[in-house]
Amino acid sequence: MHADPIDALLGSDERAFRAEVRGFIRDTLPESTRRNADLGRHATRDEVLHWQRALYARGWAAPTWPEAYGGTGWDPVRQFLFTLECGLGSAPKVPAFGTKMIGPVLYTFGSEAQKAFYLPRILRAEDWWCQGFSEPGAGSDLAALKTRAERVGDRYVVNGQKIWTTKAQHANRMFALVRTATGARRQDGISMLLIDMDSPGIELRPIIGIDGSHSLNEVFLTDVAVPAGNLVGDEGRGWDYARFLLANERSDITGVGRSRRQLARLRALVGQRGAGAGLLAAIAEVDIALTAVELTELRYLAAQGRGEDIGAGASILKLRGTEVQQELTRLLREVLGAEALRFGAAAQGGAEGIAEEYLYNRASTIYGGSSEIQRGLIARAAMAEGA
Ligand SMILES: Cc1cc2nc3c(=O)[nH]c(=O)nc-3n(C[C@H](O)[C@H](O)[C@H](O)COP(=O)(O)OP(=O)(O)OC[C@H]3O[C@@H](n4cnc5c(N)ncnc54)[C@H](O)[C@@H]3O)c2cc1C
């Protein structure tokens, strides 16, 4: 039995809340969905939508939004506990694109018409959003993006290409960064547009990942007409909105609940099969690292709740949270040996899904800004603090 480092820090109200969330997940989540997640499979579109609608019915669709827009109004500790329990309970990850990314951008910078139209649709899971930021040649260096939007009368005409667009095949809407001008600073000529994916001129091409899944896409845009009312905020200020959005994306990537569950799986396998001293030490180390991520996330959330600036906190969480995820799947493979090389139905006896999850997890230190980029941001923040 291992102590729960979080539980020891909670008051009785918070423990009761945690138990309520756990009970809701146990009673509401279909067993087949839980099993799929346990096996490291990507949740299907139907599984995700079913879960999102169950959360909406319970009033929990947007844990981080203000109550005025249909959010829960939970304090940061409750938000954290909710996410932790969802991971521990193997609930499908609600795509961050709607509730975590474009939703907060819209209630902070969007027009009244955009808020009235899009926010309820996000809550009710009526739209599936995708993120059209990266392009060939514009990933880490996002300001190099070339997709152009030209204002013609009451619309923008968009031409260009996006890449690595997660689940675009499910999406009916995309929030995209486009170039509307070329200024002295590359960042100045960028705008954010809301694009309907069924607009004429949009073509999708799948990219099949190393884990065999179709999660990624290329999106080609040729003379796509977008109503001028779909511009977010001011023309040319897309870079500011994107930075706001990316900070939310990064802090959502720690996945500590899922990592705790993986650690339990690892320990169960070691219990059955045994392990040498080196492996046991590595498991202890990853447990300590995971505990540090959990406590740091909780500390940052509490600081944000007090209105404090957490500096490079989101980068620190993203960096360490994803390193822990990768280390856990590496250790699972080590315990299982050659069995962990088998894919799909061929993997059995505890090895189910490990090959796929290990391979997909290689991407976690790339998406949302690579580890090298996060280290650069952390170093700059540290130097600024020391100055
Ligand atoms: C699984 C997955 C899902 C994704 N989903 C989406 C999505 O839905 N929407 C979207 O818009 N994008 C998405 N992305 C794209 C992701 O944001 C980019 O892959 C990422 O920003 C890195 O950009 P890049 O691939 O162009 O690599 P590059 O920027 O070309 O980087 C190549 C290498 O150089 C390093 N490097 C680059 N610049 C520096 C620097 N200044 N200092 C030190 N090292 C540096 C990087 O760390 C990396 O190792 C996804 C990516 C993956 C893998």
Side-chain angles (χ1 to χ4, degrees):
M1 182 67 198
H2 295 272
D4 180 339
I6 298 297
D7 205 59
L9 298 175
L10 301 180
S12 55
D13 281 5
E14 290 158 345
R15 283 210 188 97
F17 170 80
R18 191 177 182 185
E20 188 187 352
V21 174
R22 190 173 287 190
F24 174 78
I25 296 169
R26 189 191 52 230
D27 299 341
T28 316
L29 188 67
E31 187 49 39
S32 55
T33 308
R34 190 194 325 270
R35 176 137 182 87
N36 260 347
D38 270 344
L39 298 186
R41 295 190 185 123
H42 296 265
T44 65
R45 186 176 193 277
D46 285 349
E47 284 175 339
V48 172
L49 290 177
H50 181 273
W51 178 238
Q52 254 182 297
R53 287 175 187 147
L55 290 176
Y56 174 69
R58 185 68 181 74
W60 292 351
T64 58
W65 291 16
E67 276 174 287
Y69 295 113
T72 54
W74 288 336
D75 62 23
V77 174
R78 281 175 171 71
Q79 291 170 25
F80 172 79
L81 292 174
F82 176 77
T83 312
L84 181 68
E85 285 303 324
C86 286
L88 285 170
S90 288
K93 209 161 181 279
V94 171
F97 303 114
T99 50
K100 288 275 174 130
M101 295 192 198
I102 193 63
V105 168
L106 290 177
Y107 65 65
T108 310
F109 305 106
S111 67
E112 290 308 317
Q114 287 168 350
K115 289 183 208 172
F117 182 71
Y118 291 114
L119 296 180
R121 295 180 63 86
I122 293 174
L123 290 173
R124 294 193 297 257
E126 286 170 2
D127 287 332
W128 189 303
W129 287 88
C130 65
Q131 177 186 24
F133 282 15
S134 305
E135 297 181 6
S140 305
D141 185 14
L142 191 54
L145 65 89
K146 291 197 173 67
T147 295
R148 292 200 63 85
E150 200 186 332
R151 179 78 186 250
V152 182
D154 61 354
R155 58 193 54 204
Y156 289 92
V157 177
V158 183
N159 280 286
Q161 185 201 337
K162 297 293 172 182
I163 195 168
W164 313 123
T165 321
T166 299
K167 303 278 159 74
Q169 75 271 27
H170 297 332
N172 61 329
R173 302 190 194 279
M174 170 196 271
F175 52 90
L177 290 182
V178 294
R179 185 160 291 291
T180 41
T182 32
R185 278 176 73 238
R186 292 183 307 166
Q187 290 84 346
D188 292 339
I190 293 173
S191 301
M192 190 181 282
L193 285 182
L194 310 175
I195 301 179
D196 285 355
M197 292 298 282
D198 57 6
S199 309
I202 295 187
E203 186 201 340
L204 254 59
R205 289 188 205 155
I207 301 174
I208 304 302
I210 193 173
D211 63 338
S213 72
H214 174 200
S215 174
L216 300 168
N217 300 273
E218 292 180 286
V219 181
F220 295 85
L221 303 109
T222 310
D223 290 333
V224 177
V226 180
N230 286 19
L231 173 75
V232 177
D234 298 324
E235 191 177 288
R237 283 201 54 211
W239 190 253
D240 298 337
Y241 312 144
R243 285 184 45 176
F244 172 90
L245 181 148
L246 286 172
N248 290 334
E249 178 181 6
R250 276 170 201 152
S251 59
D252 188 51
I253 299 182
T254 52
V256 287
R258 174 80 189 146
S259 289
R260 272 274 156 230
R261 200 167 170 98
Q262 293 284 56
L263 186 60
R265 185 175 181 184
L266 182 59
R267 286 218 161 92
L269 281 169
V270 167
Q272 291 159 14
R273 294 162 182 241
L279 188 55
L280 291 175
I283 293 172
E285 265 178 45
V286 79
D287 191 356
I288 292 165
L290 174 57
T291 304
V293 173
E294 286 169 335
L295 297 180
T296 308
E297 187 165 3
L298 200 52
R299 194 159 58 81
Y300 283 143
L301 284 168
Q304 274 179 325
R306 293 190 298 271
E308 292 169 22
D309 180 5
I310 61 163
S315 292
I316 293 170
L317 290 174
K318 201 269 165 176
L319 178 70
R320 292 299 288 145
T322 51
E323 284 174 350
V324 165
Q325 288 165 25
Q326 290 190 342
E327 176 65 357
L328 281 165
T329 46
R330 188 188 73 76
L331 292 171
L332 280 163
R333 271 171 44 121
E334 201 170 316
V335 175
L336 288 159
E339 290 166 60
L341 297 175
R342 298 208 175 91
F343 272 80
Q348 285 177 0
E352 294 91 339
I354 299 291
E356 289 90 334
E357 198 161 359
Y358 171 82
L359 291 171
Y360 186 76
N361 247 334
R362 299 306 93 195
S364 66
T365 45
I366 303 172
Y367 57 66
S370 71
S371 290
E372 290 79 6
I373 295 298
Q374 306 307 332
R375 287 198 178 88
L377 291 169
I378 295 164
R380 273 203 290 283
M383 283 190 286
E385 253 176 51

